[in-house]
Amino acid sequence: MVPFSTDTLIAHLKMLTDYLEYGLSEADFFRVFKGNHDAYEVGDAVSALEAAGYKADFGKARLSKLDPILFPVLVFDANGLPFLVLDRKDKDRFLVVDVSSGSSEPQIWRRWEPRLREARWILRVSRKHRSGEDYIARQDHWFWSAFRDLHGVYIQIILAAMVSSVLGLTTSLFTMVVYDRILPNEAVDSLLALVVGVAFALMFDFLIKNLRSRFIETAGKRADMQIAERLFNQLIALKMKARGGQNGRMTSILRDFEVVRDFFTSASLITLVDLPFLFVFIGVIWFIGGPLALVPAAAVPITLIAGLMAQPFLSRYASESSIDGQTKQAVLMETLTGVETIKTTGAEPIMRSRWNEAVKAQANSSGKTRLLSQGTVNLTLLVQQIAQVAILFYGVFLVRDGTISVGALIASVILAGKALTPLSQLAQVMTRLNKARIAYCQIDTLMEQEVEREYGRRYLSRPTIAGQIEFKGVHFTYDEVLGSILKDIDLSIKPGEKVAILGPVGSGKSTVARLILGLYEPNDGAVLLDGLNARNLDPADKTRNIGAVLQDCWLFSGTLRENIIAGRFKITDTELHQKASISLADRIASQHPHGYDMRIQEGGFGVSGGQRQTIAIARALIGDPPILVMDEPTSGMDVPTEVRVIENLKTWLSDDRTLVLVTHRASLLQLVDRVIVLNNGKITYDGSKEEILMLSRPKSSAVKEA
Ligand code: ADP
Ligand code: MG
């Protein structure tokens, strides 16, 4: 297909979704997008539609054969250019919208219109829920849905197990025939024939077993890819409130997904699948060895009971071990993030002892698990051996009575061994099952937590926000126990207004900024943007319209350019450089041999605090958002730099952009006309800048000259 322009595709998709239940915005189409802007593909569109709660599929089909209820569809002509077919009027007339022709009016096209006739590729979109059902579509389960389409594979695995266990009978039956028929008669010809037969059976068994591993591997890989992506998405999407600052714990939980994955895609699963076949073996022993079957039949319950009795303990130790693992990871993460502080404050002993304690605890709990599960394994092995001796013992009497032949006795011994082998692995499988279950439950809880953008929920799309910000009776607390951080805040900022928020440390200034940015939601009351409750606004539209410089500027690993452009599309180098010159981040680029391609390390390591702020400011200005929220943006800068940045920002802000600025520096007040003072979570002053400067002259409290 000839590549079409991203804009054409998205314009058509927007139109298509408008005709369905709800139109998606450009932000919707880019949210799940992975690649670079010029290569937006149909696959990306399908993911975007699915993420937004539609059902979408893309494939080859003939328009004239399409069932009328499947319309509207997006069709790609022979050149790969999209157009929209809304409906089929009758046998040979279609209602078409061709956005690329510049008109959005539906036209009637006849069937023999070349573009219609040659169209082969069709993107079909439909609503996920049937009418009358709950409007909020439910997302598929993060784990089980990955296995949903794999029924076939698992049926194949079970079939393979069946065939393989039947083939497993051959060696024992062969032994029996050799003892009973071949040896007494010295029938070498028959022996040769039998050996060839057995050889075939063994080869076949070998193939089937390998095939089975392949099936399991395939299933595992597919599930792995799908689930891992879902987990990562959830990790990003979690609301700030749901995280609770426990990154170490969270990474540990997600890492334990490996345990779950391994369980479903490994030998453990094979053991479980093989288990029921032990009854087949016992049945065959009954058939050839008669009452001898009683011995393995008695051994099964003994091992099962031993295994089951260990269960509650195994389960407890596994959950202890998992919690200890989380603590260990948390200590590790915390130490690595704060290593400079730890070194300079001599806090190593604290961290080291925490680490040692966590290691000890985990060693303890996993040691107990190992001991117990090894104990059960040993017990089952013992039972297995006793069973063997018992069969021989009992068998001798049966042979003497002539009830069974010598061959049947030997075959029974072999079969009993085969039957009891999976049982001896059961204990280990149970241990892994317990670990997997605990990991699964923990991830499941994580997946149920509130996310920023609820699946299938319709948000109001506002491609541009004018800049009105209102707080109506806002109460906010990070944690019920801590009590209110913001108390009944009422506040209205008009578009184009420049406002500073002042106040002592811990008064809630940064919290106000976070609420405007939508990082947290008020517990009571509402934050409104352009008169709309910010809760209902599309998060992507908020991000695009509000430039943010947070109190601690975080940089990710990558180039300077990537750090400034971050998540925006279609940013030219001209704009990049222009924004970098406003914030003086261009100086960093000009001092470095690689310019904007200079590498920045994880977390912005290797870039000074002030430099980090210049980068963060440039990043906030990219895309010229109408609202700018900055939290002490110049705290790490020297005075001359700050003066120049302020000058530049003044020009950029002009009259129509809205500014909310949290600051302690009097110099920054040049940028604002209005000042709000927060004290202990309440607004104690809201008025003009001049007035507060007069008020604070004699006894400067909130504002100090920098
Ligand atoms: P500041 O005015 O200094 O910017 P903040 O808005 O950052 O103050 O914080 C206000 C209060 O909220 C502080 O007392 C602080 O202890 C508390 N706080 C800030 N962030 C969190 C958080 N993530 N979790 C719990 N409490 C917090
Ligand atoms: Mg703050």
Side-chain angles (χ1 to χ4, degrees):
M1 262 199 257
V2 177
F4 36 74
S5 97
T6 302
D7 298 331
T8 324
L9 177 63
I10 288 180
H12 281 86
L13 285 167
K14 267 183 0 210
M15 183 88 80
L16 172 63
T17 49
D18 275 340
Y19 273 94
L20 289 159
E21 196 161 17
Y22 44 84
L24 299 190
S25 64
E26 190 164 331
D28 286 312
F29 285 108
F30 275 112
R31 185 165 315 105
V32 292
F33 179 48
K34 301 180 187 91
N36 79 343
H37 178 85
D38 300 322
Y40 197 86
E41 287 175 13
V42 178
D44 300 310
V46 170
S47 328
L49 287 161
E50 300 213 318
Y54 281 108
K55 242 178 8 202
D57 49 55
F58 177 68
K60 256 186 166 169
R62 261 173 204 275
L63 209 49
S64 50
K65 297 223 174 97
L66 219 55
D67 192 320
I69 63 162
L70 299 180
F71 289 101
V73 292
L74 187 63
V75 179
F76 296 85
D77 68 12
N79 291 324
L81 289 174
F83 59 92
L84 206 60
V85 179
L86 296 182
D87 205 356
R88 179 155 143 190
K89 284 276 149 208
D90 52 47
K91 220 169 96 276
D92 51 36
R93 286 188 315 149
F94 291 88
L95 197 59
V96 173
V97 182
D98 183 12
V99 185
S100 51
S101 73
S103 126
S104 57
E105 281 300 304
Q107 311 152 328
I108 300 281
W109 282 9
R110 301 223 155 239
R111 187 153 56 107
W112 37 88
E113 170 88 24
R115 279 185 75 189
L116 266 184
R117 204 156 34 98
E118 288 159 18
R120 287 290 172 276
W121 292 91
I122 292 180
L123 176 69
R124 192 160 65 81
V125 184
S126 56
R127 286 184 267 170
K128 206 154 206 172
H129 58 85
R130 273 166 269 128
S131 52
E133 274 180 37
D134 194 353
Y135 253 66
I136 302 215
R138 271 199 68 78
Q139 196 171 15
D140 297 332
H141 192 270
W142 64 274
F143 185 72
W144 299 112
S145 70
F147 292 92
R148 192 180 39 205
D149 305 332
L150 295 175
H151 287 158
V153 177
Y154 281 95
I155 288 174
Q156 282 169 323
I157 292 168
I158 292 171
L159 281 179
M162 276 160 82
V163 175
S164 181
S165 67
V166 170
L167 289 173
L169 295 173
T170 41
T171 39
S172 51
L173 297 180
F174 172 69
T175 319
M176 182 169 92
V177 174
V178 168
Y179 271 90
D180 292 351
R181 305 256 188 281
I182 310 276
L183 267 182
N185 307 322
E186 294 185 10
V188 176
D189 289 347
S190 317
L191 179 66
L192 281 178
L194 272 179
V195 166
V196 172
V198 169
F200 269 113
L202 290 182
M203 278 302 293
F204 196 53
D205 189 31
F206 174 74
L207 282 180
I208 293 229
K209 281 200 172 121
N210 279 327
L211 217 61
R212 168 163 84 163
S213 316
R214 265 289 256 292
F215 290 151
I216 292 186
E217 187 54 44
T218 321
K221 204 152 96 195
R222 267 184 54 186
D224 205 9
M225 305 264 293
Q226 274 186 32
I227 297 173
E229 189 178 343
R230 273 288 284 282
L231 292 183
F232 192 74
N233 286 347
Q234 176 79 3
L235 202 65
I236 300 176
L238 272 184
K239 280 197 177 166
M240 292 305 293
K241 216 158 198 173
R243 298 171 193 269
Q246 298 182 310
N247 287 341
R249 220 190 110 232
M250 220 138 58
T251 43
S252 169
I253 290 179
L254 288 189
R255 204 192 41 195
D256 278 353
F257 166 60
E258 311 262 302
V259 181
V260 185
R261 203 265 329 270
D262 277 355
F263 184 80
F264 278 90
T265 57
S266 67
S268 323
L269 194 67
I270 296 186
T271 311
L272 278 191
V273 171
D274 277 345
L275 207 56
F277 293 104
L278 78 91
F279 295 104
V280 176
F281 287 109
I282 294 178
V284 176
I285 299 177
W286 178 260
F287 186 70
I288 58 177
L292 273 185
L294 292 176
V295 178
V300 172
I302 295 175
T303 31
L304 276 184
I305 288 170
L308 289 179
M309 270 181 11
Q311 267 322 285
F313 299 99
L314 279 178
S315 155
R316 204 177 71 216
Y317 298 154
S319 97
E320 272 171 25
S321 158
S322 151
I323 291 170
D324 297 336
Q326 286 168 21
T327 320
K328 212 163 106 180
Q329 185 78 8
V331 176
L332 199 61
M333 290 261 306
E334 208 180 343
T335 309
L336 288 179
T337 341
V339 74
E340 277 188 3
T341 314
I342 291 175
K343 276 175 184 287
T344 47
T345 55
E348 292 106 326
I350 303 181
M351 295 321 259
R352 193 179 307 118
S353 71
R354 281 191 199 169
W355 170 252
N356 287 342
E357 229 152 78
V359 171
K360 202 167 98 191
Q362 203 193 13
N364 254 336
S365 48
S366 50
K368 279 191 269 185
T369 319
R370 265 195 303 274
L371 268 181
L372 188 61
S373 89
Q374 198 52 49
T376 6
V377 170
N378 293 342
L379 180 71
T380 44
L381 284 176
L382 178 68
V383 172
Q384 206 175 331
Q385 276 160 324
I386 292 177
Q388 219 135 35
V389 175
I391 288 184
L392 278 170
F393 179 78
Y394 186 26
V396 169
F397 294 98
L398 292 177
V399 172
R400 199 187 56 182
D401 297 348
T403 321
I404 59 167
S405 64
V406 176
L409 174 59
I410 294 175
S412 298
V413 172
I414 298 177
L415 279 173
K418 272 197 195 224
L420 297 180
T421 311
L423 266 188
S424 65
Q425 286 161 7
L426 192 63
Q428 271 160 333
V429 173
M430 287 293 197
T431 315
R432 299 175 85 176
L433 180 66
N434 267 314
K435 282 190 188 153
R437 188 177 52 83
I438 285 159
Y440 169 84
C441 289
Q442 276 169 343
I443 301 173
D444 203 43
T445 325
L446 192 68
M447 296 304 282
E448 296 283 310
Q449 303 270 357
E450 266 191 290
V451 291
E452 211 76 24
R453 196 194 157 78
E454 290 159 42
Y455 179 81
R457 163 150 175 222
R458 294 311 308 150
Y459 288 88
L460 291 171
S461 171
R462 269 274 156 143
T464 45
I465 296 176
Q468 190 187 17
I469 303 169
E470 282 169 287
F471 277 48
K472 286 210 170 134
V474 168
H475 278 277
F476 179 78
T477 166
Y478 286 102
D479 190 341
E480 304 299 337
V481 188
L482 286 178
S484 298
I485 302 292
L486 296 182
K487 296 157 199 149
D488 201 20
I489 300 275
D490 276 301
L491 169 66
S492 171
I493 299 172
K494 288 192 282 294
E497 220 172 350
K498 321 274 187 282
V499 181
I501 300 181
L502 310 178
V505 172
S507 55
K509 306 181 301 291
S510 299
T511 309
V512 169
R514 289 188 192 122
L515 285 172
I516 296 175
L517 293 168
L519 286 172
Y520 291 88
E521 281 172 1
N523 297 63
D524 202 3
V527 176
L528 296 100
L529 294 173
D530 275 11
L532 300 169
N533 194 331
R535 237 180 239 265
N536 301 332
L537 274 179
D538 192 318
D541 285 335
K542 271 190 274 184
T543 326
R544 273 202 304 197
N545 281 289
I546 311 180
V549 181
L550 298 177
Q551 191 162 15
D552 41 13
C553 311
W554 185 83
L555 304 180
F556 53 87
S557 58
T559 62
L560 178 59
R561 176 186 276 105
E562 282 172 332
N563 263 288
I564 295 179
I565 294 181
R568 323 241 168 183
F569 294 108
K570 293 198 235 182
I571 303 302
T572 59
D573 276 359
T574 325
E575 175 167 8
L576 169 74
H577 184 65
Q578 187 206 347
K579 297 293 151 34
S581 343
I582 295 179
S583 73
L584 302 190
D586 61 336
R587 288 187 183 170
I588 308 174
S590 62
Q591 279 163 11
H592 196 276
H594 294 156
Y596 287 105
D597 286 328
M598 83 176 250
R599 303 283 317 170
I600 289 174
Q601 288 159 35
E602 199 182 313
F605 205 70
V607 182
S608 84
Q611 284 178 326
R612 236 179 268 183
Q613 284 177 331
T614 62
I615 298 173
I617 295 174
R619 178 195 286 172
L621 303 183
I622 288 279
D624 292 311
I627 305 173
L628 184 64
V629 176
M630 299 199 285
D631 194 348
E632 312 198 9
T634 59
S635 56
M637 293 182 196
D638 55 282
V639 177
T641 311
E642 188 187 29
V643 169
R644 284 203 46 197
V645 172
I646 291 173
E647 275 312 305
N648 295 344
L649 275 177
K650 224 186 233 169
T651 324
W652 180 81
L653 281 165
S654 70
D655 286 335
D656 44 351
R657 293 189 209 284
T658 315
L659 171 72
V660 178
L661 175 65
V662 173
T663 185
H664 286 296
R665 295 218 183 182
S667 47
L668 275 175
L669 291 184
Q670 289 178 44
L671 289 173
V672 306
D673 320 310
R674 176 176 160 196
V675 169
I676 293 171
V677 179
L678 273 182
N679 237 320
N680 214 350
K682 285 204 181 103
I683 296 182
T684 51
Y685 174 86
D686 183 352
S688 77
K689 173 176 63 172
E690 286 70 27
E691 208 175 316
I692 187 118
L693 287 177
M694 297 265 285
L695 281 175
S696 58
R697 237 340 82 94
K699 193 165 57 84
S700 86
S701 60
V703 185
K704 286 211 177 74
E705 290 296 332

